[in-house]
Amino acid sequence: MKQLISLRVNGELYELYVPVHKTLLEVLREDLGLTGTKHGCELGECGACTVLVDGEPVLSCLTLPVEVQGRDIVTVEGLAENSVPHPLQVTFAELNAAQCGYCTPGMLMSAKALLDRNPNPTPEEVREALAGNLCRCTGYVKIVEAVRLAARRLQGDLGNIVEEIERALNEGVVQEPESR
Amino acid sequence: MSTNGYDDRKNRTNLGSHLKKETSVVGRPLMKVDAMAKVTGQATYADDIHLPRMAYARMLPSTQPHARIVRIDTSKAEALPGVLAVITGQDLPIKYGILPVSQDETALAVDKVRFVGEPVAAVAAVDEETAERALELIEVEYEPLKPIMSIEEALEETEVRIQEYGHGGNIHKMVSLQFGDVEEGFAEADYVREDLFFYQGNNHLAMEEHSAVAYYSPDGKLTLWSSTQTPHYVHRALAKVLELPPSRIRVIACHPGGGFGGKSDPFHHEICAAKLAMITGRPVKITLTREEVFYAHRGRHPVLMWVKTGVKKTGEITAMHFRSMLDGGAYGSYGVATTYYTGALQTVTYKIPRYKFEGLRVFTNKPPCGPKRGHGTPQPRFALEIHFDKICEDMGWDPAEWRKQQACEPFSLTANYLRITTIGLKECIDKVVEASGFKEKFRKLPYGRGVGLACSAYLSGANLPIYWNDMPHSGAMVKVDRGGGVTVYCGSTDIGQGSNSVLAYVVAEVLGVRPQDVAVVTADTDLTPVDLGSYSSRVTVMTGNAAIEAAQKVRDQLFQAAADELGTTPDNLEAAGGRIFRRDDPGVGLPFAKAAQLAEARFGTLAAVGSFTPPKTPGRYKGAGVGPSPSYSYTACVVEVEVDPETGWVRVPKVWIAHDIGRALNPILVEGQAEGSVYMGLGEALMEEQVFRRNLHKIPSMLDYKSPTFLETPDIETILVETNDPHGPFGAKEAGQGPLLPVPPALCNAIYDAVGVRIDELPVTPDKILKALERKAKGQEPRVGPERMPEVEWVEPIYVEPPSLEHDPSLVPSANP
Amino acid sequence: MLRLPPFDYYGVQSVEEAVKLLSDHGPEATVVAGGTDLFPKMKRRQMEPRVLVGLRGIRELYGIQPQEDGGYRLGPMATLTQVSLHPALRAAYPGLTYAAGVVSSPQLRNAGTIGGNLCVDTRCTYYDQSYHWRKAINFCMKKDGEICWVAPGSPRCWAVSSSDTAPVFVALGARVRLVGPEGERVIPVRELYGRDGINFLAGKRPDEIITDILLPPAEGWESVYLKLRRRGSFDFPILGVAVALRRNEDGTVADARIVLGAVESYPLEVPDAAALLVGNRLEPEVIEAAAKACFKPARPLDNTDLTLYYRKKMVPVYVARALRQLAGQPSDQARTA
């Protein structure tokens, strides 16, 4: 059974004629070319395919597009504003919170949802909020640091993210996280 | 056979020339060159590739653990609309395997299946659903054979054989080596102790499921994009199995979404995708499901171990005898090397003057085991560090002090002729002991809480290649363009550890430019010089040295051209800050791009190659090829635990780890490797395990195969110790694997400190703790672990007279060539 | 990539529409709420409905509302996240909100619904596997096969009840309203469940849907839930302990229910253990006796994580810890996520 489906992804409206049993993960990757969203199990057991639906992290591998029509879907491709990355993207890059990078898009989406509702999370709150995202490379340490550093930056000056990336490339870690 | 195994102390040229220089890139916590691509979703992984007309393929898994294939009927599948091609083992009969001595795999089973999940046929179709539906239409008739599911069964059963080669019966490989007379050593000892250990097998569980896309162009060229750590070996296997000239095959390693050793073999799906692309003329993608990843496996070997050590009252080890039995699964993979590795590195941490090693690997009807982070060495290190903890307890020695006293000497040989260069083990021990408050806590915390210490060593790349040849292990090419841009080309694969960034850092350092001015092209067999791959912790040391050599050659040309312009000689020039300038008058210089233009005008196109060949191996006995390395990293680890004696639950609040990295090219990347290793080591120690029931994998999913989440992973404090190794690029050693090794034994030593029971087998599940506590309460030995080692007739050992273990000044390379 | 099999999807706007579709299509149809249990099972071909009736558009199935009698009504489409964070529910039914908050992972709690968790399929090592895996063991009686691999001589399926919230709802004495073609009825949650792993929702006809979950007034009732599992996220319970009790002014227990999860194909009530509490204060020896009384009735089998002996051993330990928590006594550092 195919159906005409309209999806709002990263602020853009897409109209698609796709089988209803194609998951949001498959539609994002295969029909919209948004391959930033990854998959590690397709069964809801790893968190790699996390996207935001109306600001809440959900698993795109267990979501039917027909059921999220008219809602705001955000993927990793929609985190940056024009050419300015989201502070979480910067801190993840800067602190080596992305090693192989495969869990990173899903991790970023869970982290963004956390910071949107809790601008200043404790390390424990970060761990709880991201507990539905597995990572096999980092031991999670740098991810917690990156989320906390992004939180601090988000509460302060947002204007110089581009400069901070430049500085991180040139000089290394721009701002020492508290725990270091 | 007796040999004085050491006859080569040469091969020390061009070492250490870059150790003391002030650096502007090396040593800084810089962002990785591909970090922004990864955090924006732009990095391309194999499954992200979508090509026009691309077909999807799936493979039919065997439902039998061990059976003859009587008949395969694919006609119904072929008739299904949308199916483009169906292949079986008959279409790809040529055998391959990662090691030349174990060419025992076929892309699809031929005549016989050897484990549940082994691919039997493959279907390409217009979409994945059609391919999957077609699989269900393939009829396979099997004639079951007796399944062999354990080390014990494999040793008992000699009639039914899983493979038709090997040592005999179901023994794949047997090894026996003796360095010095261990019996004499035990006779000299004041105390001799024996212990048995078991380390369960586990999977890498990289987040990305393996994926490959193949395309065969009308002009007869095959391109394969794959999530592989070893494009060079995949290239060789494709050429062999598909009978194509290597010059018409291009293998491109995409960003692998995690490797840990699990993507280092040539795999079924890579060859099937290529074959189906050749048949259909369309691009073909195969992405494994998570379940299939568990069948592709190549994970940690389950190893049963016995160790016997003699010590003097004064602490010295007099001799060690070590036995290992590996459960290899159904195929060879890296298993022969793994078998040697379970015996090779025992001698590199503490001084062991006499050493005997016996090891064997059996075939079983399970997915093949292979290399996982630490490759064959975490298992013996687990055994040794608990064994030594018990010896220290028996003798009343402080476990930290004893380890320091017995640490190997810098620039020395081991009993099995491994050459140690720098060794920061004592400093590592001091640092973790101090940071963790070990001395204040050990045997002093209240019941239920404890600390444990363990140490380890690991190689910075294997000195011998996987297939025998005299060529370099790593090649790099550096090109400089007129605008001052620099490109480095190298066959290495960045699996997340940051090896692309290492290339940019060392080239930038040599040429005095910024890493972001260096473009990095890697892992493409058409474009890049060969690097053997991301395994054995070899990449930083080998590609780093190769890239330095290439960059130095280009710099020589830049200096020659610039010297005339600046009215001086090349040896008075320096490259830094994007300039080339006079040492004696740093204000006088040229921008880098200007120097490049002068040099190109004078010499033509600016490019140079560099290569790295590891030092010759001192050992001269059969088996001496496994273990030697340009240098060894060292690690010390303290784990703190809280054990709930009512539930057996273990919580780890914190881990301290100190690692002798030689020199950190980028400390934040090294920390990442240490933290990831601690995490993975704890996962193996506490929960990860391959479980088989009814002759198949019981838990092939991310839900049921337990891996730690944020909530189970402790605080990790990493301390880097720098020893500036003369064989490493800017003094660097490895970091990717070594730090995993001490974590499981440190955990078990901590559990003993907490509640007084020994868990001598991994993983340490809560039921084992309760069982050990119950035994303790009943006055039985407070231990859970293997009770016996099967009886085996070991082959006569190769006898080698060991060298002196003392520091040997002649092993120190001269600082300047 | 694992994909869903084809199906027809009907997003309905009303309960009547849903019920009609269910009865028209018979066993070929099933409802989907959050999809977190159904979709993985469909991807592994454990369930193969041809028609999905999507409940997301039925407005009246949402919401959490206080009732006139002092109790609460939960719309079955309320997500587990909403239930776990609801301030009034947290105050009145802490065992329930805790249980809802420890289901699986944050993402699954955002999609998974409270009604779905009540109906979550029973689980088993030999059943929760792909089609090819199950084919290798020649399937089991719960899907496509003849035998129960957990208890091969047994005529019944032993798949284990794996809901975190069901034991708490049973302990609290909650009821559900079911609407079907023949009208509506209200039954206690305990009556939803059958006595084997296949027909585990025997109390609900296939063409009925849950429209309301009704909690009795919390007045005086205390509740607690403890969960045993390997990891603090993702994992289903391998033992759940729900206790609800009411105490008299003198501290003696007036009324108590103890319900165990993940030890049977249904939430297992242990009235004998609860009876030991009644009339007594939650003194250590009373707690000990009640905990001990739970050991025998609990019969975990080798069909989920960790050994069955260990899980059985943990039953009295977790019951005692749950009771100690209610008694305000220091609870040990249990792995009770």
Side-chain angles (χ1 to χ4, degrees), chain A residues 70-130:
Chain A
R71 300 176 71 182
D72 262 316
I73 299 161
V74 180
T75 71
V76 69
E77 289 92 345
L79 273 181
E81 280 190 40
N82 298 321
S83 65
V84 183
H86 189 277
L88 278 164
Q89 293 175 299
V90 178
T91 56
F92 268 61
E94 199 179 325
L95 296 182
N96 192 25
Q99 284 191 26
C100 84
Y102 201 79
C103 73
T104 307
M107 205 66 85
L108 286 167
M109 303 325 285
S110 289
K112 177 170 191 307
L114 169 67
L115 296 189
D116 286 349
R117 67 169 189 270
N118 179 358
N120 191 19
T122 62
E124 216 30 68
E125 287 168 337
V126 174
R127 289 193 184 102
E128 288 286 346
L130 301 188

Side-chain angles (χ1 to χ4, degrees), chain A residues 19 21-22 26 29-30 33 35-48 76-80 85-86 88-96 98-105 107-108 124 126-145 164-174 176 180, chain B residues 24 28-36 38-45 47-50 56 128-129 203-209 255-260 285 287-290 372-373 494-497 514-516 667-673 675-677 679-680 683 688 701-711 713-716:
Chain A
H21 65 275
K22 229 177 157 178
E26 293 157 41
R29 288 177 56 80
E30 295 166 4
T35 55
T37 301
K38 305 304 182 198
H39 58 97
C41 69
E42 304 94 71
L43 292 168
E45 303 171 350
C46 78
V76 69
E77 289 92 345
L79 273 181
H86 189 277
L88 278 164
Q89 293 175 299
V90 178
T91 56
F92 268 61
E94 199 179 325
L95 296 182
N96 192 25
Q99 284 191 26
C100 84
Y102 201 79
C103 73
T104 307
M107 205 66 85
L108 286 167
E124 216 30 68
V126 174
R127 289 193 184 102
E128 288 286 346
L130 301 188
N133 294 76
L134 289 177
C135 169
R136 292 289 287 172
C137 293
T138 61
Y140 304 112
V141 177
K142 300 260 187 281
I143 296 175
V144 177
E145 287 179 3
E164 290 190 359
I165 297 171
E166 193 61 20
R167 274 174 52 201
L169 285 165
N170 282 326
E171 295 162 31
V173 179
V174 170
E176 295 284 303
R180 310 185 98 243
Chain B
S24 53
R28 307 188 81 110
L30 296 173
M31 196 184 272
K32 287 193 298 191
V33 295
D34 50 10
M36 288 312 294
K38 285 179 172 172
V39 299
T40 52
Q42 299 305 306
T44 304
Y45 301 81
D47 190 59
D48 297 343
I49 294 172
H50 289 86
Y56 289 82
E128 207 168 12
E129 291 172 73
N203 185 263
H204 317 81
L205 207 77
M207 290 300 294
E208 175 204 35
E209 301 146 311
H255 286 286
F260 317 113
K285 176 190 279 186
T287 301
L288 302 189
T289 63
R290 178 55 60 184
K372 184 186 173 191
R373 204 173 202 166
D494 194 323
I495 56 174
Q497 84 281 44
R514 303 181 309 168
Q516 57 269 44
I668 204 158
L669 300 194
V670 179
E671 284 171 19
Q673 290 305 302
E675 289 158 2
S677 291
Y679 157 83
M680 197 165 272
E688 295 184 37
S701 71
M702 285 186 117
L703 177 64
D704 294 322
Y705 177 94
K706 305 298 180 190
S707 69
T709 75
F710 273 90
L711 302 174
T713 308
D715 280 341
I716 302 165

Side-chain angles (χ1 to χ4, degrees), chain B residues 654-674:
Chain B
K654 187 154 182 180
V655 175
W656 295 261
I657 190 144
H659 183 66
D660 166 14
I661 177 62
R663 181 156 181 207
L665 298 182
N666 178 341
I668 204 158
L669 300 194
V670 179
E671 284 171 19
Q673 290 305 302

